[in-house]
Amino acid sequence: MKIALTFEGGINSITNELLDLLNNYQAKATFFCLASHVEENPDITRRIVQEGHLIGGNHYQYLDSVFLDFSEFIEQLIRCNSILEKVTGQMVRYYMPPYGSVSNEQQYFLTDSGLTTVYWNIDSENNGEHKVENIVGNIMTNVREESVILCHQRGILPCRNTLRALRIVIPMLKQCGYQFVSVDKINSGKANQLVGAPRGAIVEK
């Protein structure tokens, strides 16, 4: 049973601990990175790729797509992907919008650019709760085959509590027979049938 862990937002010193945890359990994940953080932490970014995880685009800064002018959206996207490709040496093929929404015009541009837009069906911090027990409960209560789980990486406290929660969740889910894969290994047709918050659609091309 395949599920996908996704990490959206920043890269910082805790990311190294997170990568150690994933490596210990042979779990793969997808990181949607803010390019401003990639510039500050190129070695950690390269480590993500070197250890077999998938990197996707976000923005240069954490800005809600639907409140950006179209030109600002394109600038954020292109700047982010350019930095990611320069640091990793890999083409960016996946994009997760901050706050989980894009306009129709933005989606057309993403599609024309060859990018796949990724959403989620489990928000590990639903309702903005960063407590470890809430993160564990949200994931364990809602997880199903082909789940796409959103983990937030904005701010030291959310990053630290996400790490603490995943130290509990990953071994439990492994014992239940789940395999942690990157989003490109998820069956989007099955994932889109799952009900979750805040998005129903998981992958749109």
Side-chain angles (χ1 to χ4, degrees):
M1 296 185 293
K2 295 179 180 179
I3 55 176
L5 279 175
T6 68
F7 298 93
E8 186 233 18
I11 296 175
N12 51 48
S13 58
I14 298 174
T15 307
N16 276 323
E17 296 181 63
L18 176 59
L19 290 169
D20 290 341
L21 175 66
L22 294 171
N23 186 54
N24 287 342
Y25 288 98
Q26 298 180 318
K28 300 304 179 186
T30 306
F31 291 78
F32 293 94
C33 304
L34 286 175
S36 57
H37 288 232
V38 171
E39 285 182 322
E40 296 172 359
N41 300 281
D43 291 341
I44 299 176
T45 305
R46 282 188 283 267
R47 182 186 171 190
I48 291 171
V49 173
Q50 290 165 357
E51 296 189 359
H53 306 289
L54 183 65
I55 279 192
N58 199 259
H59 287 170
Y60 184 79
Q61 300 162 296
Y62 200 77
L63 301 173
D64 193 333
S65 299
V66 298
F67 293 115
L68 295 176
D69 292 339
F70 188 56
S71 60
E72 293 174 323
F73 169 77
I74 293 175
E75 180 184 358
Q76 286 284 325
L77 184 70
I78 292 177
R79 189 178 182 187
C80 176
N81 289 356
S82 177
I83 291 168
L84 284 173
E85 291 171 5
K86 181 179 179 180
V87 170
T88 67
Q90 294 186 358
M91 181 177 293
V92 177
R93 296 183 293 121
Y94 295 88
Y95 165 79
M96 178 177 281
Y99 303 101
S101 295
V102 293
S103 69
N104 289 336
E105 184 181 32
Q106 290 167 349
Q107 183 57 58
Y108 292 143
F109 179 80
L110 291 164
T111 301
D112 290 344
S113 301
L115 291 167
T116 297
T117 308
V118 179
Y119 299 103
W120 57 88
N121 50 28
I122 297 176
D123 185 344
S124 65
E125 297 177 11
N126 198 19
N127 299 321
E129 290 286 351
H130 302 310
K131 296 178 181 178
V132 173
E133 58 269 30
N134 290 336
I135 297 171
V136 173
N138 285 335
I139 295 175
M140 296 304 298
T141 300
N142 296 293
V143 69
R144 303 288 187 275
E145 184 177 6
E146 309 293 343
S147 288
V148 178
I149 303 167
L150 172 65
C151 297
H152 300 271
Q153 296 290 283
R154 301 189 305 277
I156 294 300
L157 179 60
C159 290
R160 178 61 65 189
N161 283 352
T162 293
L163 177 63
R164 290 169 176 158
L166 290 179
R167 284 176 174 153
I168 299 169
V169 167
I170 291 177
M172 290 176 65
L173 291 179
K174 291 278 283 190
Q175 289 181 351
C176 292
Y178 286 102
Q179 177 187 5
F180 292 88
V181 300
S182 52
V183 292
D184 57 330
K185 303 297 193 301
I186 288 291
N187 184 319
S188 60
K190 291 182 179 179
N192 289 341
Q193 296 173 10
L194 300 179
V195 177
R199 296 293 306 225
I202 307 304
V203 180
E204 295 181 0
K205 294 186 178 180

